Amino acid sequence: MKLTLEEQGMLDGKYGKSTKKSMEILNTLGEIFGAECMVDVVGVQIAGVSYANLGEAGLEFLNEMAEDGKVRVLTTLNPAGMDRENWQALGIDEEFAKNQNRAIDAFAKMGIITTCSCTPYLIGNTPHFGQHLAWAESSAVCYSNSVIGARTNREGGPSALASALTGRTPKYGYHLEKNRHGQVLVKLNAPIKGTDEFGVLGKLIGDKLVELEKKIPYITGISMATVEELKSFCASVATYGGVALFHMEGITPEYTKYPLPSDIVFEINHDDLEKTRAELIDDDIEIDFVSLGCPHASIHEIAEIARLLEGVKVKKEFWITTARPTKRIANEAGYSKIIEDAGAKFAADTCCVVAPIKGRFKGIMVDSAKACYYGRAKNKFKVKIGTIEECVKEAIK
Ligand code: F3S
Protein backbone atom coordinates (compact mmCIF):
# COMPACT_ATOMS: atom_id res chain seq x y z
CA MET A 1 0.00 0.00 0.00
CA LYS A 2 1.19 3.45 -0.82
CA LEU A 3 1.12 5.60 2.32
CA THR A 4 1.49 9.36 2.55
CA LEU A 5 4.29 10.78 4.69
CA GLU A 6 1.83 11.44 7.49
CA GLU A 7 0.37 7.93 7.30
CA GLN A 8 3.87 6.46 7.33
CA GLY A 9 4.61 8.60 10.38
CA MET A 10 1.53 7.16 12.08
CA LEU A 11 2.74 3.65 11.30
CA ASP A 12 6.19 4.46 12.64
CA GLY A 13 4.75 5.63 15.95
CA LYS A 14 5.40 9.36 15.45
CA TYR A 15 1.88 10.22 16.63
CA GLY A 16 1.66 7.92 19.64
CA LYS A 17 0.97 4.32 20.51
CA SER A 18 -2.76 4.16 19.69
CA THR A 19 -2.36 5.91 16.35
CA LYS A 20 0.42 3.46 15.49
CA LYS A 21 -1.75 0.47 16.43
CA SER A 22 -4.65 1.93 14.45
CA MET A 23 -2.54 2.44 11.33
CA GLU A 24 -1.24 -1.12 11.68
CA ILE A 25 -4.84 -2.41 11.72
CA LEU A 26 -5.80 -0.32 8.66
CA ASN A 27 -2.62 -1.12 6.77
CA THR A 28 -3.13 -4.85 7.31
CA LEU A 29 -6.76 -4.57 6.19
CA GLY A 30 -5.67 -2.63 3.12
CA GLU A 31 -3.10 -5.29 2.24
CA ILE A 32 -5.67 -8.08 2.64
CA PHE A 33 -8.23 -6.35 0.41
CA GLY A 34 -5.73 -5.09 -2.15
CA ALA A 35 -6.19 -1.36 -1.47
CA GLU A 36 -3.65 0.85 -3.23
CA CYS A 37 -3.86 3.68 -0.73
CA MET A 38 -5.83 5.18 2.16
CA VAL A 39 -8.63 7.69 1.83
CA ASP A 40 -9.62 10.47 4.27
CA VAL A 41 -12.89 9.87 6.09
CA VAL A 42 -15.20 12.63 7.32
CA GLY A 43 -17.04 10.57 9.91
CA VAL A 44 -16.92 7.33 11.85
CA GLN A 45 -19.61 5.30 13.55
CA ILE A 46 -18.53 2.54 15.90
CA ALA A 47 -20.52 -0.64 16.58
CA GLY A 48 -20.02 -3.34 19.21
CA VAL A 49 -20.68 -0.85 22.02
CA SER A 50 -22.81 -3.05 24.27
CA TYR A 51 -20.84 -4.53 27.14
CA ALA A 52 -22.58 -7.80 26.26
CA ASN A 53 -20.58 -7.79 23.00
CA LEU A 54 -17.39 -6.23 24.30
CA GLY A 55 -16.80 -8.24 27.46
CA GLU A 56 -13.66 -7.67 29.52
CA ALA A 57 -11.36 -8.39 26.57
CA GLY A 58 -13.00 -5.68 24.46
CA LEU A 59 -12.94 -3.26 27.34
CA GLU A 60 -9.24 -3.89 27.88
CA PHE A 61 -8.58 -3.09 24.19
CA LEU A 62 -10.59 0.14 24.49
CA ASN A 63 -8.76 1.23 27.64
CA GLU A 64 -5.44 0.55 25.98
CA MET A 65 -6.42 2.67 22.95
CA ALA A 66 -7.75 5.41 25.25
CA GLU A 67 -4.39 5.81 26.99
CA ASP A 68 -3.18 8.25 24.31
CA GLY A 69 -5.74 7.94 21.47
CA LYS A 70 -7.79 10.95 20.33
CA VAL A 71 -10.24 10.97 17.43
CA ARG A 72 -9.39 13.01 14.35
CA VAL A 73 -12.91 13.05 12.86
CA LEU A 74 -16.51 13.21 14.04
CA THR A 75 -17.22 9.85 15.68
CA THR A 76 -20.41 8.50 17.25
CA LEU A 77 -21.42 5.16 18.78
CA ASN A 78 -23.95 2.47 17.98
CA PRO A 79 -26.56 1.61 20.64
CA ALA A 80 -25.25 0.44 23.99
CA GLY A 81 -26.74 -2.28 26.17
CA MET A 82 -28.89 0.11 28.20
CA ASP A 83 -30.52 3.50 28.43
CA ARG A 84 -27.82 5.49 30.18
CA GLU A 85 -30.30 7.43 32.30
CA ASN A 86 -33.28 5.12 32.56
CA TRP A 87 -31.63 1.68 32.86
CA GLN A 88 -33.25 0.73 36.16
CA ALA A 89 -36.78 1.22 34.81
CA LEU A 90 -35.91 -1.12 31.94
CA GLY A 91 -34.84 -3.87 34.32
CA ILE A 92 -31.09 -3.77 33.59
CA ASP A 93 -28.96 -5.07 36.45
CA GLU A 94 -26.51 -2.86 38.29
CA GLU A 95 -23.38 -4.86 37.49
CA PHE A 96 -24.12 -4.67 33.76
CA ALA A 97 -24.81 -0.91 34.02
CA LYS A 98 -21.48 -0.36 35.76
CA ASN A 99 -19.57 -2.25 33.08
CA GLN A 100 -21.46 -0.55 30.26
CA ASN A 101 -20.54 2.84 31.69
CA ARG A 102 -16.87 1.82 31.94
CA ALA A 103 -16.93 1.11 28.18
CA ILE A 104 -18.64 4.39 27.35
CA ASP A 105 -16.16 6.29 29.52
CA ALA A 106 -13.29 4.78 27.53
CA PHE A 107 -14.93 5.92 24.26
CA ALA A 108 -15.51 9.40 25.73
CA LYS A 109 -11.86 9.66 26.79
CA MET A 110 -10.87 9.34 23.12
CA GLY A 111 -13.13 12.26 22.18
CA ILE A 112 -15.92 10.13 20.75
CA ILE A 113 -19.39 11.64 21.07
CA THR A 114 -21.19 9.12 23.23
CA THR A 115 -24.49 9.40 21.44
CA CYS A 116 -25.42 5.75 21.13
CA SER A 117 -27.56 5.36 18.03
CA CYS A 118 -27.84 3.26 14.89
CA THR A 119 -29.22 6.29 13.01
CA PRO A 120 -26.27 8.69 13.23
CA TYR A 121 -27.49 10.26 9.99
CA LEU A 122 -30.57 11.60 11.83
CA ILE A 123 -28.66 13.26 14.63
CA GLY A 124 -25.73 15.16 13.21
CA ASN A 125 -23.24 12.53 12.04
CA THR A 126 -24.69 13.24 8.64
CA PRO A 127 -22.53 12.88 5.55
CA HIS A 128 -23.39 14.13 2.09
CA PHE A 129 -23.10 12.63 -1.33
CA GLY A 130 -19.69 11.25 -2.29
CA GLN A 131 -18.01 11.64 1.11
CA HIS A 132 -15.98 8.76 2.52
CA LEU A 133 -16.82 7.27 5.92
CA ALA A 134 -15.90 4.36 8.14
CA TRP A 135 -19.19 3.22 9.62
CA ALA A 136 -19.88 -0.08 11.29
CA GLU A 137 -23.63 -0.46 11.88
CA SER A 138 -25.01 -2.49 8.97
CA SER A 139 -28.30 -0.57 8.58
CA ALA A 140 -26.53 2.80 8.73
CA VAL A 141 -23.86 1.63 6.27
CA CYS A 142 -26.61 0.64 3.84
CA TYR A 143 -28.42 3.96 4.36
CA SER A 144 -25.32 6.10 3.90
CA ASN A 145 -24.16 4.27 0.76
CA SER A 146 -27.55 3.98 -0.87
CA VAL A 147 -29.85 6.76 0.30
CA ILE A 148 -27.20 9.46 0.80
CA GLY A 149 -24.66 8.29 -1.79
CA ALA A 150 -21.74 8.50 0.64
CA ARG A 151 -19.12 5.74 0.59
CA THR A 152 -18.31 3.24 3.28
CA ASN A 153 -17.54 -0.41 3.73
CA ARG A 154 -19.08 -2.17 6.68
CA GLU A 155 -16.39 -1.83 9.31
CA GLY A 156 -15.85 -3.94 12.37
CA GLY A 157 -15.51 -2.34 15.82
CA PRO A 158 -11.66 -2.23 15.85
CA SER A 159 -11.28 -0.99 12.26
CA ALA A 160 -13.87 1.76 12.80
CA LEU A 161 -12.04 2.87 15.94
CA ALA A 162 -8.75 2.78 14.03
CA SER A 163 -10.29 5.08 11.40
CA ALA A 164 -11.53 7.43 14.10
CA LEU A 165 -8.02 7.74 15.55
CA THR A 166 -6.30 8.25 12.18
CA GLY A 167 -8.99 9.84 9.99
CA ARG A 168 -8.26 7.24 7.29
CA THR A 169 -9.60 4.02 5.87
CA PRO A 170 -8.11 1.76 3.18
CA LYS A 171 -9.58 2.58 -0.22
CA TYR A 172 -11.23 -0.62 -1.43
CA GLY A 173 -14.74 -2.06 -1.78
CA TYR A 174 -17.52 0.53 -1.82
CA HIS A 175 -15.04 3.41 -1.75
CA LEU A 176 -14.32 2.61 -5.39
CA GLU A 177 -16.69 3.61 -8.18
CA LYS A 178 -16.19 0.33 -10.03
CA ASN A 179 -17.68 -1.66 -7.14
CA ARG A 180 -20.93 0.30 -6.90
CA HIS A 181 -22.79 -1.04 -9.95
CA GLY A 182 -26.13 -2.78 -9.48
CA GLN A 183 -25.89 -6.55 -10.03
CA VAL A 184 -29.49 -7.79 -9.92
CA LEU A 185 -32.54 -6.03 -11.33
CA VAL A 186 -35.42 -6.30 -8.85
CA LYS A 187 -38.80 -5.37 -10.32
CA LEU A 188 -41.45 -4.68 -7.72
CA ASN A 189 -44.92 -5.09 -9.19
CA ALA A 190 -46.97 -4.13 -6.14
CA PRO A 191 -47.42 -0.93 -4.15
CA ILE A 192 -45.85 -0.88 -0.70
CA LYS A 193 -46.18 1.49 2.23
CA GLY A 194 -45.03 1.69 5.84
CA THR A 195 -41.96 0.64 7.76
CA ASP A 196 -43.22 -2.92 8.18
CA GLU A 197 -43.84 -3.44 4.45
CA PHE A 198 -40.46 -1.98 3.51
CA GLY A 199 -38.93 -4.37 6.06
CA VAL A 200 -40.77 -7.29 4.47
CA LEU A 201 -39.45 -6.22 1.07
CA GLY A 202 -35.92 -6.03 2.51
CA LYS A 203 -36.16 -9.59 3.76
CA LEU A 204 -37.52 -10.86 0.44
CA ILE A 205 -34.75 -9.19 -1.56
CA GLY A 206 -32.08 -10.07 1.01
CA ASP A 207 -33.02 -13.77 1.02
CA LYS A 208 -32.99 -13.86 -2.80
CA LEU A 209 -29.59 -12.19 -3.02
CA VAL A 210 -28.10 -14.74 -0.64
CA GLU A 211 -29.44 -17.47 -2.92
CA LEU A 212 -27.97 -15.70 -5.99
CA GLU A 213 -24.71 -14.89 -4.17
CA LYS A 214 -25.06 -11.23 -5.19
CA LYS A 215 -24.84 -8.07 -3.13
CA ILE A 216 -26.16 -4.99 -4.97
CA PRO A 217 -29.81 -4.87 -6.04
CA TYR A 218 -31.17 -2.27 -8.43
CA ILE A 219 -34.83 -1.88 -7.51
CA THR A 220 -37.59 -0.52 -9.73
CA GLY A 221 -41.29 -0.03 -9.06
CA ILE A 222 -41.23 2.11 -5.93
CA SER A 223 -42.69 5.53 -6.58
CA MET A 224 -42.15 7.08 -3.16
CA ALA A 225 -40.37 6.21 0.07
CA THR A 226 -40.03 8.14 3.32
CA VAL A 227 -36.85 8.37 5.40
CA GLU A 228 -38.44 5.98 7.91
CA GLU A 229 -39.39 3.45 5.24
CA LEU A 230 -35.90 3.58 3.76
CA LYS A 231 -34.21 3.14 7.14
CA SER A 232 -36.41 0.10 7.79
CA PHE A 233 -35.63 -1.31 4.35
CA CYS A 234 -31.89 -0.74 4.86
CA ALA A 235 -31.93 -2.54 8.21
CA SER A 236 -33.80 -5.48 6.76
CA VAL A 237 -31.94 -5.94 3.47
CA ALA A 238 -28.62 -5.62 5.34
CA THR A 239 -29.69 -8.21 7.92
CA TYR A 240 -31.11 -10.82 5.56
CA GLY A 241 -28.88 -10.25 2.54
CA GLY A 242 -25.72 -8.61 3.88
CA VAL A 243 -26.50 -5.71 1.52
CA ALA A 244 -24.46 -2.53 2.04
CA LEU A 245 -25.57 -0.73 -1.13
CA PHE A 246 -28.67 -0.69 -3.35
CA HIS A 247 -30.04 1.57 -6.01
CA MET A 248 -33.74 2.47 -6.15
CA GLU A 249 -35.05 3.98 -9.34
CA GLY A 250 -36.24 7.55 -8.86
CA ILE A 251 -35.26 7.58 -5.19
CA THR A 252 -31.56 7.01 -4.49
CA PRO A 253 -28.99 9.48 -5.84
CA GLU A 254 -26.87 7.12 -7.94
CA TYR A 255 -29.64 5.32 -9.78
CA THR A 256 -28.92 7.05 -13.08
CA LYS A 257 -25.19 6.70 -12.74
CA TYR A 258 -24.89 3.01 -13.56
CA PRO A 259 -26.53 0.91 -16.25
CA LEU A 260 -29.56 -1.16 -15.34
CA PRO A 261 -28.36 -4.73 -14.68
CA SER A 262 -29.93 -7.03 -17.24
CA ASP A 263 -28.35 -10.45 -16.65
CA ILE A 264 -30.36 -11.34 -13.58
CA VAL A 265 -33.92 -10.12 -13.18
CA PHE A 266 -36.05 -10.89 -10.13
CA GLU A 267 -39.74 -9.96 -10.06
CA ILE A 268 -41.76 -9.44 -6.90
CA ASN A 269 -45.57 -9.55 -6.80
CA HIS A 270 -48.10 -8.90 -4.04
CA ASP A 271 -48.30 -12.62 -3.16
CA ASP A 272 -44.53 -12.82 -2.65
CA LEU A 273 -44.73 -9.97 -0.16
CA GLU A 274 -47.60 -11.66 1.70
CA LYS A 275 -45.70 -14.95 1.86
CA THR A 276 -42.63 -13.21 3.29
CA ARG A 277 -44.74 -11.29 5.81
CA ALA A 278 -46.16 -14.62 7.03
CA GLU A 279 -42.59 -15.80 7.67
CA LEU A 280 -42.24 -12.92 10.13
CA ILE A 281 -45.17 -14.03 12.28
CA ASP A 282 -44.63 -17.01 14.58
CA ASP A 283 -47.39 -19.51 15.28
CA ASP A 284 -49.03 -19.46 18.72
CA ILE A 285 -47.31 -16.25 19.72
CA GLU A 286 -48.27 -14.77 23.08
CA ILE A 287 -47.20 -11.11 22.92
CA ASP A 288 -45.96 -9.62 26.18
CA PHE A 289 -43.53 -7.05 24.74
CA VAL A 290 -43.93 -4.39 22.05
CA SER A 291 -40.97 -2.43 20.79
CA LEU A 292 -40.82 0.31 18.17
CA GLY A 293 -37.73 2.08 16.88
CA CYS A 294 -35.58 -0.40 14.99
CA PRO A 295 -33.61 1.36 13.53
CA HIS A 296 -33.90 4.10 16.16
CA ALA A 297 -37.16 6.01 15.89
CA SER A 298 -37.16 9.38 14.16
CA ILE A 299 -39.01 12.34 15.66
CA HIS A 300 -41.63 11.80 12.99
CA GLU A 301 -42.26 8.24 14.19
CA ILE A 302 -42.35 9.38 17.83
CA ALA A 303 -44.95 12.01 16.94
CA GLU A 304 -47.04 9.27 15.33
CA ILE A 305 -46.70 6.98 18.38
CA ALA A 306 -47.70 9.87 20.68
CA ARG A 307 -50.76 10.52 18.54
CA LEU A 308 -51.80 6.87 18.83
CA LEU A 309 -51.13 6.69 22.58
CA GLU A 310 -52.84 9.93 23.59
CA GLY A 311 -55.33 9.26 26.39
CA VAL A 312 -54.87 5.46 26.50
CA LYS A 313 -52.91 3.08 28.76
CA VAL A 314 -50.61 0.30 27.60
CA LYS A 315 -51.06 -3.11 29.21
CA LYS A 316 -47.81 -4.68 28.03
CA GLU A 317 -44.16 -3.77 28.30
CA PHE A 318 -43.73 -1.20 25.52
CA TRP A 319 -40.40 0.33 24.53
CA ILE A 320 -39.68 3.14 22.10
CA THR A 321 -36.01 2.96 21.21
CA THR A 322 -34.37 6.09 19.92
CA ALA A 323 -31.33 8.33 20.04
CA ARG A 324 -31.03 10.56 23.09
CA PRO A 325 -31.03 13.81 21.02
CA THR A 326 -34.28 12.66 19.38
CA LYS A 327 -35.75 11.96 22.80
CA ARG A 328 -34.81 15.50 23.86
CA ILE A 329 -36.75 16.89 20.92
CA ALA A 330 -39.67 14.63 21.88
CA ASN A 331 -39.51 16.03 25.44
CA GLU A 332 -39.64 19.59 24.18
CA ALA A 333 -42.46 18.85 21.78
CA GLY A 334 -44.55 17.24 24.53
CA TYR A 335 -44.56 13.78 22.90
CA SER A 336 -42.59 12.14 25.73
CA LYS A 337 -45.17 13.14 28.32
CA ILE A 338 -48.02 11.67 26.28
CA ILE A 339 -46.08 8.46 25.69
CA GLU A 340 -44.95 8.07 29.29
CA ASP A 341 -48.39 8.95 30.67
CA ALA A 342 -49.70 6.04 28.62
CA GLY A 343 -47.23 3.76 30.41
CA ALA A 344 -44.84 3.19 27.50
CA LYS A 345 -41.12 3.61 28.15
CA PHE A 346 -38.39 5.32 26.22
CA ALA A 347 -35.26 3.26 25.82
CA ALA A 348 -32.77 5.80 24.51
CA ASP A 349 -29.15 4.80 23.71
CA THR A 350 -30.16 1.13 23.34
CA CYS A 351 -32.63 -1.21 21.63
CA CYS A 352 -34.56 -4.43 22.10
CA VAL A 353 -31.74 -6.37 20.43
CA VAL A 354 -28.58 -5.10 22.14
CA ALA A 355 -30.09 -4.79 25.65
CA PRO A 356 -29.43 -7.91 27.77
CA ILE A 357 -33.04 -9.16 27.81
CA LYS A 358 -32.63 -12.66 26.37
CA GLY A 359 -35.54 -14.87 27.40
CA ARG A 360 -37.21 -12.12 29.48
CA PHE A 361 -40.31 -12.03 27.25
CA LYS A 362 -42.29 -14.70 25.42
CA GLY A 363 -43.34 -12.82 22.31
CA ILE A 364 -42.39 -9.47 20.81
CA MET A 365 -44.37 -7.36 18.35
CA VAL A 366 -42.42 -4.92 16.20
CA ASP A 367 -42.69 -3.01 12.93
CA SER A 368 -39.17 -4.04 11.94
CA ALA A 369 -38.07 -7.12 10.00
CA LYS A 370 -34.57 -6.73 11.44
CA ALA A 371 -35.93 -6.83 15.00
CA CYS A 372 -37.82 -10.03 14.06
CA TYR A 373 -34.56 -11.67 12.97
CA TYR A 374 -32.64 -10.79 16.13
CA GLY A 375 -35.65 -11.18 18.42
CA ARG A 376 -35.69 -14.82 17.38
CA ALA A 377 -32.00 -15.50 16.92
CA LYS A 378 -30.52 -13.59 19.82
CA ASN A 379 -33.24 -13.11 22.40
CA LYS A 380 -35.23 -16.33 21.83
CA PHE A 381 -38.58 -14.51 21.56
CA LYS A 382 -41.44 -15.44 19.28
CA VAL A 383 -42.02 -12.55 16.89
CA LYS A 384 -44.77 -10.76 15.01
CA ILE A 385 -44.43 -7.93 12.53
CA GLY A 386 -47.11 -5.27 12.07
CA THR A 387 -47.61 -1.60 11.29
CA ILE A 388 -46.85 1.00 13.96
CA GLU A 389 -50.59 1.33 14.50
CA GLU A 390 -51.05 -2.44 14.90
CA CYS A 391 -48.17 -2.52 17.39
CA VAL A 392 -49.77 0.23 19.49
CA LYS A 393 -53.15 -1.55 19.33
CA GLU A 394 -51.49 -4.74 20.60
CA ALA A 395 -49.84 -2.86 23.46
CA ILE A 396 -53.11 -1.39 24.72
CA LYS A 397 -55.19 -4.53 24.18
FE1 F3S B 1 -30.62 -0.29 15.59
FE2 F3S B 1 -30.89 -2.16 17.38
FE3 F3S B 1 -32.34 -2.23 15.21
S1 F3S B 1 -29.00 -1.27 16.71
S2 F3S B 1 -31.07 -1.27 13.67
S3 F3S B 1 -32.44 -0.66 16.81
S4 F3S B 1 -31.33 -3.95 16.15
Side-chain angles (χ1 to χ4, degrees):
M1 270 235 299
K2 200 166 172 297
L3 299 181
T4 63
L5 269 181
E6 193 187 20
E7 289 158 0
Q8 189 59 50
M10 291 181 194
L11 196 57
D12 294 341
K14 228 168 115 185
Y15 299 90
K17 209 172 64 165
S18 303
T19 312
K20 175 177 167 59
K21 193 169 187 98
S22 298
M23 192 44 85
E24 282 168 358
I25 292 171
L26 298 176
N27 195 44
T28 306
L29 261 180
E31 299 285 351
I32 292 170
F33 289 102
E36 287 177 4
C37 60
M38 297 282 172
V39 63
D40 289 350
V41 294
V42 298
V44 171
Q45 196 247 3
I46 295 175
V49 176
S50 171
Y51 179 74
N53 296 332
L54 281 167
E56 277 306 302
L59 195 50
E60 203 180 303
F61 172 73
L62 285 183
N63 281 327
E64 206 184 297
M65 297 300 266
E67 277 172 22
D68 69 342
K70 282 278 176 262
V71 296
R72 289 183 170 224
V73 292
L74 181 70
T75 304
T76 51
L77 297 177
N78 219 29
M82 63 183 198
D83 184 309
R84 297 192 68 204
E85 292 174 4
N86 198 26
W87 53 271
Q88 276 142 321
L90 301 175
I92 305 297
D93 83 67
E94 199 166 342
E95 186 62 19
F96 182 89
K98 207 175 83 198
N99 287 326
Q100 183 62 77
N101 279 330
R102 285 166 65 214
I104 291 176
D105 290 348
F107 286 121
K109 197 172 165 207
M110 290 183 265
I112 293 166
I113 298 170
T114 54
T115 298
C116 301
S117 177
C118 51
T119 56
Y121 48 88
L122 294 181
I123 50 160
N125 191 352
T126 315
H128 69 71
F129 183 85
Q131 289 188 313
H132 295 272
L133 315 166
W135 281 13
E137 157 58 32
S138 64
S139 65
V141 164
C142 189
Y143 192 97
S144 64
N145 270 323
S146 317
V147 181
I148 298 174
R151 283 141 197 250
T152 179
N153 291 315
R154 186 184 173 191
E155 300 296 339
S159 66
L161 180 60
S163 288
L165 299 182
T166 58
R168 310 289 205 284
T169 193
K171 196 173 183 184
Y172 70 95
Y174 294 116
H175 293 284
L176 301 173
E177 195 84 4
K178 66 177 169 85
N179 296 328
R180 296 177 66 90
H181 291 234
Q183 299 167 330
V184 176
L185 179 58
V186 179
K187 289 185 176 175
L188 179 66
N189 303 321
I192 60 164
K193 197 173 183 315
T195 46
D196 59 320
E197 283 188 7
F198 272 80
V200 167
L201 179 69
K203 171 170 163 46
L204 214 174
I205 295 175
D207 287 346
K208 187 69 184 178
L209 289 177
V210 170
E211 198 185 306
L212 295 169
E213 297 183 2
K214 296 287 179 200
K215 287 284 178 210
I216 311 177
Y218 189 116
I219 304 152
T220 65
I222 296 175
S223 55
M224 177 58 85
T226 65
V227 165
E228 290 75 16
E229 288 166 339
L230 288 167
K231 81 175 163 66
S232 179
F233 177 77
C234 287
S236 179
V237 81
T239 298
Y240 292 94
V243 171
L245 169 65
F246 63 85
H247 303 294
M248 208 176 256
E249 191 179 48
I251 290 174
T252 60
E254 290 180 300
Y255 85 93
T256 52
K257 204 165 166 185
Y258 307 108
L260 225 61
S262 53
D263 293 356
I264 313 174
V265 181
F266 169 46
E267 301 220 16
I268 297 174
N269 298 313
H270 177 74
D271 288 355
D272 303 314
L273 291 166
E274 284 305 300
K275 202 169 144 259
T276 304
R277 170 180 287 275
E279 290 168 15
L280 294 173
I281 301 175
D282 283 323
D283 292 338
D284 304 321
I285 180 170
E286 189 187 322
I287 297 162
D288 52 358
F289 183 28
V290 176
S291 185
L292 293 172
C294 172
H296 270 174
S298 68
I299 192 64
H300 194 250
E301 286 170 306
I302 291 174
E304 167 75 352
I305 296 164
R307 187 184 65 76
L308 294 165
L309 282 177
E310 186 145 31
V312 299
K313 290 275 180 216
V314 303
K315 304 210 173 57
K316 291 173 182 138
E317 183 80 1
F318 186 0
W319 290 10
I320 292 118
T321 60
T322 192
R324 187 157 300 282
T326 312
K327 191 190 166 197
R328 288 203 188 104
I329 300 172
N331 293 348
E332 281 168 25
Y335 302 140
S336 302
K337 180 161 175 15
I338 297 171
I339 288 170
E340 286 169 347
D341 282 353
K345 296 170 187 166
F346 275 97
D349 318 312
T350 188
C351 78
C352 65
V353 168
V354 295
I357 53 171
K358 182 174 173 182
R360 207 165 103 191
F361 302 100
K362 294 192 199 87
I364 184 172
M365 183 156 183
V366 290
D367 69 328
S368 157
K370 175 174 179 176
C372 287
Y373 179 90
Y374 286 105
R376 279 175 180 151
K378 183 167 174 285
N379 286 335
K380 308 296 170 206
F381 303 151
K382 287 196 171 188
V383 303
K384 180 174 181 181
I385 196 165
T387 63
I388 289 183
E389 192 162 359
E390 286 164 351
C391 288
V392 172
K393 270 193 186 146
E394 180 63 42
I396 62 179
K397 204 159 79 178

